[in-house]
Amino acid sequence: MNLVRIEGKKININDSIELNQEIDDFVKPYREHVNKDLDSVISYAVDTYSKSDGDFNTAIGNLFADAVLEQSNIIFNKRTGENLDMTLLNHGGIRSIISKGNITTRTAFEIMPFENSLVAVAMKGQTIQDSLVRYLSRAKRAHPIAGLKIKLDKDFKAIEATINNKPIDPNKTYYVVTNDYLYHGGDGMSFFQTNDSLYDLNYKVRNALLDHFKKVDTINPVRDDRFIKLN
């Protein structure tokens, strides 16, 4: 017997499909348990925050980057005795707003629905200056950063870049935390592959957000001067 052809048809999944009560009864307690966990209140937002509220840095992006730096450093320091210097994440990685009011576990899953993990990369200051800072200057987007500050002139050229409020030392090794997607070249960030050492923190980006929300009763992030352009 030979296969002659394969046929298929589109079946729309909508309210017209009859509910299988037996299956629904089986799933119901698990669904209710998951929803109860997701809807548990863990913090409060004094305003609504969106990744579109700024050209070079946003309140939600700053919160994201700061939370990742703070929470990741706890793990990194315990393992290495060193401290992380900066965070770089991607603008597109923020997938939702934070609405004014209660922040729940579900909020963190909406902001970061992906299973990306955090990694720490040892990078020379020269590489950061020549590649990472140049990338951000050319991207002209509010990629979340922390620890790093960049000032652009009117032609989008970086005229000042600091880490921990000090000029970048080209010979110094800095520890940069990012996610595994970006480390492997996501969003064109190929400069991570020139690192000196890689540390897998075995810690999801989403979990860093969750841990931060659980630690602070109220969030009130703001736009600041970490990445600005002069007129």
Side-chain angles (χ1 to χ4, degrees):
M1 179 182 295
N2 296 320
L3 180 65
V4 178
R5 68 177 182 272
I6 298 175
E7 295 182 344
K9 64 178 180 179
K10 182 178 180 180
I11 300 177
N12 292 319
I13 300 177
N14 51 45
D15 294 340
S16 66
I17 298 178
E18 186 177 349
L19 176 69
N20 186 313
Q21 193 62 51
E22 183 178 356
I23 294 177
D24 189 64
D25 289 343
F26 178 79
V27 172
K28 183 179 178 181
Y30 299 97
R31 180 174 63 239
E32 291 178 345
H33 177 73
V34 169
N35 284 331
K36 182 179 179 180
D37 286 344
L38 288 175
D39 293 330
S40 59
V41 177
I42 54 178
S43 189
Y44 180 84
V46 301
D47 204 346
T48 295
Y49 305 100
S50 166
K51 68 178 182 180
S52 62
D53 69 4
D55 293 328
F56 296 97
N57 77 88
T58 65
I60 190 173
N62 295 345
L63 168 71
F64 204 175
D66 289 343
V68 165
L69 185 61
E70 175 189 330
Q71 296 302 132
S72 297
N73 192 58
I74 297 172
I75 299 171
F76 185 71
N77 180 261
K78 284 182 179 179
R79 291 185 186 177
T80 67
E82 302 285 350
N83 288 307
L84 294 169
D85 295 292
M86 59 164 286
T87 305
L88 173 58
L89 300 170
N90 58 320
H91 180 268
I94 302 174
R95 307 301 287 189
S96 178
I97 66 171
I98 295 178
S99 298
K100 180 178 180 179
N102 289 336
I103 294 175
T104 65
T105 301
R106 190 185 301 275
T107 306
F109 276 82
E110 291 172 344
I111 298 171
M112 172 47 64
F114 311 114
E115 296 301 311
N116 293 121
S117 294
L118 291 165
V119 296
V121 185
M123 300 179 69
K124 288 293 186 185
Q126 192 70 60
T127 302
I128 293 174
Q129 186 74 60
D130 292 346
S131 300
L132 191 155
V133 171
R134 182 177 298 176
Y135 172 91
L136 291 173
S137 302
R138 292 176 175 177
K140 304 174 185 175
R141 300 195 76 185
H143 290 302
I145 60 173
L148 171 70
K149 285 187 177 182
I150 302 173
K151 185 182 294 184
L152 305 179
D153 65 14
K154 60 183 180 64
D155 297 316
F156 298 94
K157 181 180 179 181
I159 55 175
E160 185 178 313
T162 64
I163 294 178
N164 298 323
N165 294 314
K166 296 179 181 179
I168 297 174
D169 182 345
N171 298 311
K172 181 178 178 179
T173 296
Y174 294 91
Y175 296 102
V176 183
V177 62
T178 187
N179 65 50
D180 52 356
Y181 166 72
L182 298 179
Y183 173 77
H184 290 292
D187 276 9
M189 297 189 189
S190 57
F191 43 80
F192 285 120
Q193 294 295 325
T194 60
N195 68 87
D196 294 336
S197 300
L198 173 68
Y199 305 83
D200 185 348
L201 301 183
N202 193 27
Y203 188 41
K204 293 191 183 303
V205 180
R206 184 192 307 119
N207 288 346
L209 280 176
L210 283 169
D211 289 341
H212 177 75
F213 288 147
K214 291 173 182 177
K215 286 174 63 175
V216 292
D217 176 74
T218 302
I219 67 161
N220 186 20
V222 296
R223 292 170 58 193
D224 56 28
D225 63 347
R226 69 185 66 191
F227 193 7
I228 60 173
K229 176 180 173 291
L230 303 179
N231 294 325

